[in-house]
Amino acid sequence: MESATSWEYNSLTNELTQGREHAIQLGVHLTSTLLPQHQDLLQKILFSYEKSLLILKWNGPIEQPQPQPQPLAMPITPTPESSLSVDGSLHTDDFSKIIPAHNECYSNASKKRKAMPTWTEKVKINPHTGLEGPGDDGYSWRKYGQKDIQGTKHPRSYYRCTYRHSHNCCANKQVQRSDDDPSVFELTYKGTHTCILASQSAPPPATSPKKKELKLNYHHHFNNESLQADQMLMHLKANLRVKTDELEITKEERSPFSALPTFSSMTGKNHECPFPALAVDDHHFLGTYTPSFMSSGSSESNYFSASSSQMNEYGNFHAFNHSETEQNGIFSANASSTNSPIAGLEYLMDPVALDSNFPFGTTGFFS
DNA sequence: GAAATTTGACCTTG
DNA sequence: CAAGGTCAAATTTC
């Protein structure tokens, strides 16, 4: 298919980015007065911008390698071969048509493991919580294996998306406890969640009640390959300006952004894999982040994931307070269960906290 | 009974 | 061939 030239690519990206910024700002200005139906509409507008930007990035300019897409509230995985133009005429329905073409867990990707987009992140849990594993990332995972890895003290656990079969979702995750610091978990994500779009027509069941909503403190940082949270931060930093042309390009062609946080109301109701970031609380446009865990009685090997980010580009994030501290080299942001989404945006726009390499995490959820 | 986890066997990769 | 990754039957949990 054809792809945009660099000029077209940049122009379109800028236009879409600006449109999204304005929509976000509008949401900020109107947060206190927005009716639920208006909030929903605003979410949809932002969603449309996100999709358009994503598609644009995957197609990319002719002269340039496929840029890594911006982190999305809803991870989706269009392939370069998707037959989408960059003329801005894309509709939601068009976008959904991409899925069957690329979402083949059992085709080439399964034969060549390396073809899967892979990235890692490290999650540190707060020892005071006594929890054995990092929090849920908003997706529903099913453990399918565990293996002792040479040179490590702890076994590695293998998870795949619960909707692998029902929605042909290829996302996988490995969880490895750190030898050096048992409170640190290294999460390796492989593949991206495609169950979210498939779920538009057939939403999968809600969170398993087995996942207990618990308070936790955990720290969160990323290695150089992980661009999820810090990219998200970048996109909203400083006047919400987005630098789409500075996105790094990974070894993979496809987006690594699959693991997104669960955003939910403070009721503890969890929204699973499909549209985790689009879950809109009736009372909070920007929502809140609710980490959840697997059974608290799980063994050491039975960790669940932590979020790859605590926010998304729609501004669906947990509202942090400003008592960030640096602990053990891992940034920690105390989160409060404030009902003010504005406070969260202020946090996001804080230049200090929005360094592109800034590892961030949260502590004190629900405290 | 359905869904999730465990775990040994098997497959893939380097 | 060894190590990592996945499968699938058995088991556990809800």
Side-chain angles (χ1 to χ4, degrees), chain A residues 53 73 101 125 217 243 274 276 286 306 312 321 329:
Chain A
L53 281 166
I125 62 169
N217 300 334
K243 295 183 177 181
L286 295 172
N312 60 49
N321 67 25

Side-chain angles (χ1 to χ4, degrees), chain A residues 262-273:
Chain A
T262 297
F263 294 93
S264 62
S265 69
M266 294 312 296
T267 63
K269 179 181 178 181
N270 209 352
H271 300 269
E272 278 301 342
C273 190

Side-chain angles (χ1 to χ4, degrees), chain A residues 61-328:
Chain A
I62 291 174
E63 305 86 338
Q64 299 177 4
Q66 293 289 344
Q68 185 168 347
Q70 294 181 32
L72 291 175
M74 51 166 298
I76 37 189
T77 317
T79 54
E81 62 267 26
S82 60
S83 56
L84 292 166
S85 69
V86 292
D87 60 4
S89 61
L90 184 75
H91 301 296
T92 300
D93 290 342
D94 298 326
F95 188 82
S96 63
K97 292 174 184 175
I98 304 170
I99 298 307
H102 73 83
N103 188 13
E104 296 294 340
C105 295
Y106 310 103
S107 59
N108 293 335
S110 62
K111 294 173 183 175
K112 282 241 176 183
R113 291 170 186 165
K114 283 189 171 181
M116 301 285 282
T118 302
W119 70 102
T120 62
E121 63 184 66
K122 293 180 181 178
V123 175
K124 182 175 177 124
I125 62 169
N126 190 313
H128 300 300
T129 65
L131 295 172
E132 283 293 329
D136 191 1
D137 54 10
Y139 290 108
S140 184
W141 300 97
R142 176 175 294 184
K143 188 175 183 177
Y144 67 87
Q146 179 174 310
K147 194 83 174 180
D148 289 325
I149 302 302
Q150 200 175 42
T152 64
K153 298 174 184 176
H154 308 284
R156 179 177 299 167
S157 297
Y158 299 88
Y159 297 88
R160 65 166 58 106
C161 180
T162 298
Y163 312 111
R164 178 184 177 88
H165 298 297
S166 61
H167 290 151
N168 201 24
C169 182
C170 306
N172 278 18
K173 175 170 72 175
Q174 298 176 7
V175 178
Q176 175 75 58
R177 194 168 203 167
S178 172
D179 289 342
D180 298 331
D181 187 351
S183 64
V184 172
F185 295 82
E186 182 167 320
L187 309 177
T188 300
Y189 292 91
K190 294 184 177 181
T192 56
H193 282 281
T194 54
C195 51
I196 47 174
L197 285 180
S199 71
Q200 280 184 303
S201 56
T207 306
S208 167
K210 284 197 288 188
K211 292 184 180 180
K212 300 178 180 179
E213 300 290 348
L214 298 172
K215 292 182 180 181
L216 88 152
N217 300 334
Y218 67 86
H219 309 272
H220 192 184
H221 72 88
F222 304 95
N223 61 15
N224 290 335
E225 294 177 357
S226 176
L227 297 171
Q228 302 161 52
D230 44 348
Q231 281 188 339
M232 292 182 181
L233 290 167
M234 284 287 289
H235 298 155
L236 287 169
K237 71 189 278 188
N239 298 324
L240 299 173
R241 181 116 11 216
V242 179
K243 295 183 177 181
T244 55
D245 55 345
E246 291 182 2
L247 296 174
E248 292 183 26
I249 300 171
T250 65
K251 295 171 286 187
E252 312 296 343
E253 292 183 351
R254 298 167 64 187
S255 169
F257 304 116
S258 72
L260 285 166
T262 297
F263 294 93
S264 62
S265 69
M266 294 312 296
T267 63
K269 179 181 178 181
N270 209 352
H271 300 269
E272 278 301 342
C273 190
F275 298 104
L278 292 179
V280 181
D281 184 87
D282 287 344
H283 306 291
H284 310 112
F285 164 62
L286 295 172
T288 54
Y289 174 48
T290 305
S292 61
F293 291 83
M294 291 184 63
S295 169
S296 57
S298 60
S299 66
E300 174 184 79
S301 61
N302 195 20
Y303 338 109
F304 226 59
S305 76
S307 71
S308 58
S309 64
Q310 270 83 43
M311 69 189 72
N312 60 49
E313 286 194 280
Y314 297 103
N316 279 339
F317 53 83
H318 194 92
F320 304 101
N321 67 25
H322 288 255
S323 58
E324 300 90 0
T325 57
E326 183 76 21
Q327 297 177 352
N328 300 325

